[in-house]
Amino acid sequence: MAPSKDFDNFRTLLRSSKHIIAVAGAGLSAASGIPTFRGTGGMWRKYDAFSLATPEGFAQSPSLVWQFYHYRRQAALAAQPNRAHLALSFFSLPAARNQIVPGSTFTLITQNVDGLSARSDQEPPILEMHGRLFDLLCTNRKCKHVEFNAESPICEGLAGTEMLIETKTTDPNIELEDLPRCSKCGALGRPGVVWFGETPHHLDTIDGLVAQADLCLVIGTSSKVYPAASYAEEVKRHGGKVAVFNVEHSHGDSKAHYLFPGPCEETLPKALGLSISVDRKITIETPA
């Protein structure tokens, strides 16, 4: 049976749900100007992901990798949370959510590293499984210091290099001593994101939430990156429902009970029964 696109029917299901999770990907931030990775025109179509997002790539050229992540940090700092971020943030508040889904729980599980969900009007309960762009990790195994750093640029050696990324003319020769350093021990720092071949964060907690969930919202993700790509299928396997919000068709569509194509900043607030004004004021729509 084809997935339903009926918003009214979905809202009826939503009101009867008890344990809700949302699994978000790059499409959640697309309306904020953050490029996706695997969609049409995605960032990984322009750059070699394995030279820019692996420990081996960083070891080979930390300068090149840092230039790329400086570019991404600049893009994230310039962006603002969009209506989908705001809807999730509002829905995460128990006092607000209980007016829509009484007695329910909700957790946002995001693959995004841009921090936009955490910069919404309220800070939602969020599990950033792929880390954060603005965390700086020490590469010294005896130190392993982690610190939040949203300075722009994070070091003078990277200043202005974000303009070079657009033309793929990055300068691979920034000296190591001019790249970001650990404030505790002085060793070379690296971006605080989970790279290919590394273990995502919060997996035990997420596994528990997935096992308990009776509704999974899949938002702006290609459903190609594991383990996140398996969560909707697991929820469906134990009898839960799945709703997919994506601009483009994805692997997750086949697992969906509900499919809402289109920009998630439009479809998600509507599905949750929320109205968001131009001045970002959020109201709950009265059920028909």
Side-chain angles (χ1 to χ4, degrees):
M1 181 182 296
S4 171
K5 298 180 181 179
D6 190 318
F7 282 98
D8 291 333
N9 188 279
F10 172 78
R11 284 191 288 265
T12 298
L13 168 70
L14 179 66
R15 289 192 291 271
S16 67
S17 301
K18 292 301 179 184
H19 300 294
I20 307 162
I21 61 172
V23 180
L28 173 61
S29 295
S32 297
I34 306 294
T36 60
F37 297 107
R38 288 174 176 78
T40 302
M43 190 175 289
W44 293 141
R45 294 177 183 271
K46 299 179 182 179
Y47 302 101
D48 178 0
F50 290 94
S51 67
L52 297 170
T54 62
E56 294 79 12
F58 184 72
Q60 181 175 351
S61 183
S63 174
L64 178 64
V65 172
W66 260 119
Q67 287 178 69
F68 181 68
Y69 282 90
H70 169 68
Y71 164 75
R72 292 185 62 188
R73 284 166 59 95
Q74 293 294 98
L77 287 170
Q80 293 296 322
N82 63 56
R83 287 158 51 91
H85 291 116
L86 297 177
L88 288 169
S89 180
F90 183 83
F91 189 74
S92 73
L93 296 173
R97 187 177 62 258
N98 283 333
Q99 298 180 58
I100 306 169
V101 193
S104 62
T105 65
F106 173 72
T107 303
L108 171 60
I109 302 164
T110 184
Q111 300 168 82
N112 296 338
V113 298
D114 53 44
L116 287 175
S117 291
R119 285 168 50 196
S120 300
D121 292 342
Q122 300 87 23
E123 292 191 11
I126 176 172
L127 297 175
E128 295 169 297
M129 63 183 301
H130 288 170
R132 302 191 297 183
L133 272 176
F134 300 104
D135 278 347
L136 180 67
L137 277 60
C138 181
T139 58
N140 180 351
R141 294 183 180 181
K142 293 183 179 180
C143 178
K144 297 183 179 179
H145 179 62
V146 180
E147 63 183 74
F148 181 82
N149 188 324
E151 293 181 10
S152 176
I154 190 171
C155 68
E156 287 303 316
L158 292 168
T161 60
E162 69 275 10
M163 305 302 295
L164 302 177
I165 287 287
E166 293 288 355
T167 56
K168 297 178 67 174
T169 56
T170 54
D171 179 358
N173 297 314
I174 299 175
E175 299 295 331
L176 285 179
E177 57 266 27
D178 295 326
L179 292 174
R181 317 297 295 186
C182 173
S183 64
K184 187 175 180 180
C185 76
L188 178 66
R190 56 158 278 187
V193 300
V194 175
W195 284 331
F196 294 105
E198 296 181 328
T199 303
H201 303 322
H202 313 297
L203 290 185
D204 289 344
T205 300
I206 292 171
D207 286 345
L209 290 167
V210 170
Q212 186 183 40
D214 55 5
L215 175 60
C216 177
L217 312 178
V218 179
I219 306 166
T221 176
S222 62
S223 296
K224 292 181 179 179
V225 178
Y226 286 82
S230 67
Y231 295 152
E233 186 174 2
E234 291 178 34
V235 170
K236 183 176 181 179
R237 188 183 302 124
H238 67 243
K241 302 298 183 181
V242 176
V244 173
F245 301 82
N246 263 334
V247 171
E248 300 177 347
H249 288 291
S250 71
H251 287 262
D253 293 359
S254 62
K255 307 175 182 68
H257 299 90
Y258 294 87
L259 177 61
F260 299 110
C264 61
E265 68 273 14
E266 297 176 8
T267 57
L268 184 62
K270 182 176 181 179
L272 296 178
L274 301 176
S275 176
I276 304 177
S277 65
V278 175
D279 61 359
R280 298 161 66 101
K281 182 179 180 180
I282 303 176
T283 55
I284 300 172
E285 297 179 346
T286 304

